[in-house]
Amino acid sequence: MAEQAGADAGSLARRLADLEEGLAPARPEATPGLRILGYGEVSAVLVLADVPGLVLKRMSGFADQRAAETYGELVTDYVAAVRSAGVPVVETEVLVVRRTGRTPVTYLVQPEVAGDRIGHSIMRTADDAAHETLLHRVLDAVLAVREKAAEDVAVDAQLSNWYLAPDTSGPPTLLDVGTPFLRRGGRQAMDAEIILSTAPAPLRPVFRRLGTVHAYFEDYFEPRTAAVDLLGNYHKEGRPDRIDAALEVVNQWLEPLGASPITRRDVDRYYRSDARLLGFWLQARRAERAVRLRTGRGYDFILPGRVRR
Ligand SMILES: Nc1ncnc2c1ncn2[C@@H]1O[C@H](COP(=O)(O)OP(=O)(O)OP(=O)(O)O)[C@@H](O)[C@H]1O
Ligand SMILES: [Mg+2]
């Protein structure tokens, strides 16, 4: 059994090395059989026609093999820490793919779960009672991670990061583990350079000096901020009509934590500024990509097309 799994991992690693040989990250549509399921700020979620049933989360921007391996180990530790709180995490295999003449990329390989059972889809379509149940389950999981995990970890609370198996009342399953929010000795363990590598070159030294990346990570450890972020996304998902009902659930959840209640205005304001910031960020990355491609230096990130916010 173990040998079988090892053989599979070996052939998948070869398939991913093949994929990387042909992939132009600026034009992923030119790669036959490749479909993009989602875009993150850091990673792109890919599906390959000849590798059915798996999603492949592609991360680039590593300085060298060692940086990629260190990141992979941190993801594995992070998954274990979240699970130690009794919160399930989708099975996640880390594969570091070496490339000739270029720095390596990392793929997080997971089974593909049913899209209509992921939190944001449920939020959009379920009735009011099911929507509230969803929210309770996600918020309880966020709290469990905060209070029970064997290490100092946080999760990205957004509904799009959770899979809810049908017919169970237990905690939802976390899908999004590509950015490990894990503090050791009070400091963020993930190397900020990996995130900085996604920023346009002129901004990197500024963010590095300001400690922007780790300051941004700290927000995930604040339940109130995480909840505002979760609620802001109701706008993006086209269901702002559900925010008021969700606010009641969230504020009840916050009360015992000693946090001040969130208002509708907080959510709307946050979403507007977040949407502006992400819009600016994407434009800046596109501009950087254009310059790099024009000067023959290549560009190693897959960016989304136009995003409706
Ligand atoms: N295992 C999976 N099966 C099916 N769909 C998935 C799976 N994992 C992720 N997705 C879909 O892809 C989207 C993005 O994935 P994920 O949340 O892991 O990355 P992200 O938010 O892009 O990450 P980051 O910005 O931290 O790099 C999810 O919201 C979900 O819709
Ligand atoms: Mg996500």
Side-chain angles (χ1 to χ4, degrees), residues 78-160:
Y78 178 67
V79 168
V82 173
R83 285 183 180 148
S84 75
V87 172
V89 178
V90 72
E91 194 190 322
T92 301
E93 184 174 5
V94 185
L95 290 174
V96 177
V97 178
R98 290 174 189 264
R99 304 184 295 182
T100 34
R102 283 187 296 165
T103 53
V105 286
T106 299
Y107 279 87
L108 306 185
V109 181
Q110 300 177 338
E112 182 175 4
V113 302
D116 63 355
R117 297 300 308 169
I118 301 180
H120 62 304
S121 303
I122 298 176
M123 185 277 280
R124 276 202 306 259
T125 55
D127 61 26
D128 291 348
H131 163 236
E132 285 190 22
T133 305
L134 158 77
L135 203 50
H136 278 293
R137 287 173 67 185
V138 168
L139 293 171
D140 287 349
V142 171
L143 211 56
V145 169
R146 179 181 164 88
E147 290 174 354
K148 297 189 195 146
E151 289 207 78
D152 186 9
V153 280
V155 291
D156 180 343
Q158 291 222 357
L159 295 178
S160 59

Side-chain angles (χ1 to χ4, degrees), residues 78 142 146 152-157 179-190 192 195 210-227 229 270:
Y78 178 67
V142 171
R146 179 181 164 88
D152 186 9
V153 280
V155 291
D156 180 343
T179 307
F181 303 110
L182 192 161
R183 291 189 293 217
R184 284 180 173 148
R187 291 171 51 98
Q188 295 290 342
M190 183 168 168
I195 308 286
L210 293 174
T212 309
V213 172
H214 284 169
Y216 168 75
F217 281 16
E218 288 296 321
D219 282 350
Y220 290 85
F221 289 79
E222 286 300 325
R224 191 180 185 282
T225 315
D229 185 57
Y270 171 85

Side-chain angles (χ1 to χ4, degrees), residues 17 19 31-33 39 104 110 143 145 217 258 267 294 296 308:
L19 170 69
T31 298
Y39 301 90
Q110 300 177 338
L143 211 56
V145 169
F217 281 16
V267 176
R294 239 191 342 261
R308 193 175 57 82

Side-chain angles (χ1 to χ4, degrees), residues 37-45 47 54-55 57-59 71 90-91 109-115 118 120-121 156 159-163 175-179 181 216 220:
L37 206 60
Y39 301 90
E41 297 320 314
V42 186
S43 67
V45 184
V47 175
L54 295 179
V55 298
K57 301 187 177 181
R58 179 184 189 270
M59 291 272 291
Y71 164 75
V90 72
E91 194 190 322
V109 181
Q110 300 177 338
E112 182 175 4
V113 302
I118 301 180
H120 62 304
S121 303
D156 180 343
L159 295 178
S160 59
N161 294 331
W162 301 94
Y163 166 76
L175 303 175
D176 188 350
V177 293
T179 307
F181 303 110
Y216 168 75
Y220 290 85

